[in-house]
Amino acid sequence: MGLNIRGRSFLTLLDYTTDEINYLLDLSADLKKLKYTGTPHRYLEGKNIVLLFEKTSTRTRCSFEVAGYDLGMGVTYLDPGSSQMGKKESLRDTAMVLGRLYDGIEYRGFKQSVVEDLAKYSGVPVYNGLTDDFHPTQMLADVLTIKEEFGNVRGRKLVFFGDARNNVANSLMVVSAKLGMHYVACAPQELMPAKELVEKCRKIAEETGAVIELESDVKKAATDADVLYTDIWVSMGEPDELWAKRIELLHPYQVNQKVMSYAKKEAIFMHCLPSFHDRQTIVGKEIYQKFGLEAMEVTDDVIYGPQGRAFQEAENRMHTIKAVLYATLK
Ligand code: CP
Ligand code: NVA
């Protein structure tokens, strides 16, 4: 099998074939081994990337930085508000400048069209570090984690509980379709994924054997699940006024021990993080004061419990992002 994704952007997994995704996953596992054995892998010495963030980040930023340094690259971080982009300089001009200085550009922000335009005008690979629509680098880390747990992903039942039309849920549906998984969006009707994306994924599923299901009943959805996944109820960029409505809609979709008990005995819990599972954050405290909730999308005993894999998943962001950088820039 010959695969070559050199020079390609990574904007959404809809652009990648099943074989290409599996290639990136295999490469991630290889790079993880090199890291664990302390084997140097400065394969991209002399190359440089810029990380352009219009929303905040811990994992994505740090993963791109560490992956870049491990590969011997130069890395520049531009934080929200510190570049000219959008205020004094158009997206097109910014892309044309960055493309002349850097070998690759990571972008986190709002519209999906921004990463697409950056790719169009910069002439170098652009990596989507999260937009309102998709979070593709997160998916490689998630699938690597599932593979590490079960050895395979085909046919595995992954249930997403919560805002099933957010960037992470959309991307989970796409990657599940591409890899032949059984994906269930478990949400109230108002927060089900867009019809157009569901149709696209079901079309892909016809080829791969995946199953794409929408189910509002928590018990039905969780029964026999291999992976239970959730994300915050209000995503970055959405107004704070949404909290009250989302809490009302999504409180029944909280992943707690009862929900875990419906799943397979060996099921795991995953979360892209950050997560509101306690009162140790400013938002968590405010929500407790206003609504009396100790935890939101997941309880402490689940995320820290024996089935929780969110922190392994977070580490895997770095190994998988490294694979994307290596494969596209080598
Ligand atoms: N999961 C994730 O993307 O985390 P950050 O927002 O910290 O990058
Ligand atoms: N849906 C979340 C994901 C964070 C990694 C957000 O967009 O804020």
Side-chain angles (χ1 to χ4, degrees):
M1 183 179 66
L3 277 175
N4 181 8
I5 60 169
R6 197 179 302 138
R8 289 261 299 277
S9 283
F10 194 75
L11 308 180
T12 155
L13 286 174
L14 288 166
D15 300 337
Y16 276 72
T17 64
T18 303
D19 284 347
E20 286 167 345
I21 296 169
N22 280 323
Y23 160 62
L24 287 170
L25 290 164
D26 289 345
L27 193 53
S28 304
D30 290 346
L31 289 164
K32 186 168 179 176
K33 265 186 220 133
L34 294 184
K35 180 80 175 177
Y36 271 51
T37 52
T39 312
H41 43 284
R42 298 174 63 84
Y43 302 140
L44 296 180
E45 260 175 6
K47 306 239 182 206
N48 297 287
I49 46 166
V50 60
L51 314 180
L52 197 51
F53 279 79
E54 296 199 302
K55 289 176 179 168
T56 51
S57 167
T58 297
R59 278 147 291 274
T60 308
R61 177 207 173 160
C62 297
S63 295
F64 268 98
E65 288 210 20
V66 174
Y69 298 142
D70 283 355
L71 289 166
M73 304 175 81
V75 183
T76 304
Y77 170 67
L78 291 175
D79 68 11
S82 80
S83 82
Q84 311 283 24
M85 189 169 98
K87 292 178 292 286
K88 287 166 66 182
E89 192 158 34
S90 69
L91 176 62
R92 182 175 181 162
D93 289 4
T94 307
M96 286 170 68
V97 172
L98 295 178
R100 283 165 181 255
L101 299 182
Y102 291 95
D103 300 285
I105 301 169
E106 182 275 355
Y107 171 82
R108 165 173 286 197
F110 298 88
K111 290 196 184 124
Q112 182 70 15
S113 61
V114 175
V115 266
E116 283 161 12
D117 283 347
L118 279 173
K120 183 167 154 194
Y121 296 119
S122 66
V124 296
V126 171
Y127 312 105
N128 178 357
L130 179 146
T131 60
D132 292 342
D133 295 343
F134 294 113
H135 196 6
T137 61
Q138 178 74 49
M139 295 306 111
L140 295 178
D142 294 351
V143 177
L144 181 64
T145 308
I146 299 168
K147 282 185 92 168
E148 286 172 343
E149 187 67 33
F150 299 115
N152 57 37
V153 293
R154 227 186 134 66
R156 296 272 164 203
K157 182 176 180 183
L158 184 153
V159 187
F160 179 90
F161 299 89
D163 176 9
R165 8 121 292 168
N166 79 10
N167 38 24
V168 169
N170 283 344
S171 299
L172 283 168
M173 185 163 68
V174 172
V175 82
S176 298
K178 292 270 177 180
L179 299 182
M181 295 172 69
H182 177 179
Y183 176 77
V184 185
C186 184
Q189 283 311 318
E190 294 94 314
L191 297 176
M192 281 297 184
K195 205 165 156 245
E196 199 194 347
L197 187 62
V198 174
E199 276 165 18
K200 231 181 238 180
C201 290
R202 286 196 169 138
K203 187 107 199 97
I204 298 167
E206 283 171 20
E207 308 263 301
T208 62
V211 176
I212 306 296
E213 237 187 295
L214 311 184
E215 174 59 67
S216 293
D217 185 287
V218 170
K219 190 174 179 186
K220 267 195 205 154
T223 299
D224 287 334
D226 296 289
V227 181
L228 295 90
Y229 199 120
T230 189
D231 184 12
I232 51 171
W233 290 342
V234 176
S235 286
M236 289 183 278
E238 292 192 307
D240 284 346
E241 295 73 59
L242 273 180
W243 273 112
K245 181 75 188 149
R246 288 285 166 80
I247 286 172
E248 185 194 325
L249 280 173
L250 290 175
H251 191 217
Y253 293 84
Q254 181 189 67
V255 181
N256 48 40
Q257 289 298 357
K258 189 168 175 207
V259 177
M260 293 301 293
S261 75
Y262 301 137
K264 283 188 186 152
K265 232 180 28 268
E266 63 276 21
I268 56 170
F269 169 78
M270 296 178 69
H271 193 308
C272 56
L273 304 177
S275 162
F276 295 125
H277 56 89
D278 56 26
R279 284 196 261 152
Q280 307 298 317
T281 61
I282 292 168
V283 178
K285 278 192 187 86
E286 277 174 15
I287 296 291
Y288 177 75
Q289 278 156 10
K290 276 198 201 157
F291 304 96
L293 281 187
E294 285 283 353
M296 284 187 263
E297 71 274 8
V298 58
T299 51
D300 259 11
D301 53 353
V302 170
I303 197 164
Y304 292 142
Q307 290 165 288
R309 295 292 181 276
F311 298 94
Q312 179 183 338
E313 187 185 352
E315 179 197 321
N316 282 339
R317 297 295 310 283
M318 195 282 286
H319 305 298
T320 48
I321 282 171
K322 194 183 281 177
V324 175
L325 291 175
Y326 174 71
T328 55
L329 296 179
K330 69 178 188 265

